[in-house]
Amino acid sequence: MSGDGQAASHWFDDEAGPVVRPYAMTRGRTSHAAQHRLDLIALVVAEYRVEDPDHALSPEHVDIVDLCRDAPQSVAELAAELDLPVGVVRVLIGDLVDEEYVHVSRPVPPAELPDESILRDVINGLRAL
């Protein structure tokens, strides 16, 4: 590259804005200790005591807290709304869980749900009353 203009154009697209690699947002981390709890349908809820997120947080962290403030958001919804890869969003959510800005509500695993035949038997028993 011969000049500053070429180097700058490599990292900036007029339509897309500056290019920031996902690993830059997560400081090179590809996973988080809390990630095992963060499947796509896990709900992220902002803590009620958090009114104004710390300014030391990245803009993406603040966006996640803001999105979860009005209503719980799933990991998939957050990734779609922020236009970020799910892996990056999981790491960012893990950071927010550690700092107690959000908590995660996990869905009930299918193995722990009652069997459909049991529910039918309960309904039939209620109808027989």
Side-chain angles (χ1 to χ4, degrees), residues 96-108:
L96 292 169
V97 169
D98 288 349
E99 297 297 322
E100 298 180 353
Y101 285 106
V102 300
H103 68 271
V104 177
S105 174
R106 292 180 22 196
V108 177

Side-chain angles (χ1 to χ4, degrees), residues 62-79:
V62 173
D63 289 344
I64 291 171
V65 173
D66 287 342
L67 287 169
C68 297
R69 189 172 279 142
D70 294 331
Q73 301 284 317
S74 72
V75 173
E77 289 172 321
L78 289 169

Side-chain angles (χ1 to χ4, degrees), residues 46-52 69 99-102:
E47 293 293 343
Y48 66 91
R49 63 174 179 73
V50 177
E51 292 183 21
D52 189 22
R69 189 172 279 142
E99 297 297 322
E100 298 180 353
Y101 285 106
V102 300

Side-chain angles (χ1 to χ4, degrees), residues 4 10 14 25-26 29 41-42 58-59 65 71 78-79 84 88 91 96 98 115-116:
D4 291 336
H10 176 71
D14 289 335
M25 287 181 221
T26 63
R29 297 170 295 144
I41 59 174
S58 73
V65 173
L78 289 169
L84 292 172
V88 170
V91 172
L96 292 169
D98 288 349
D115 187 18
E116 186 177 330

Side-chain angles (χ1 to χ4, degrees), residues 81-96:
E81 184 68 31
L82 297 172
D83 196 25
L84 292 172
V86 172
V88 170
V89 172
R90 285 179 173 158
V91 172
L92 297 174
I93 292 170
D95 294 343
L96 292 169

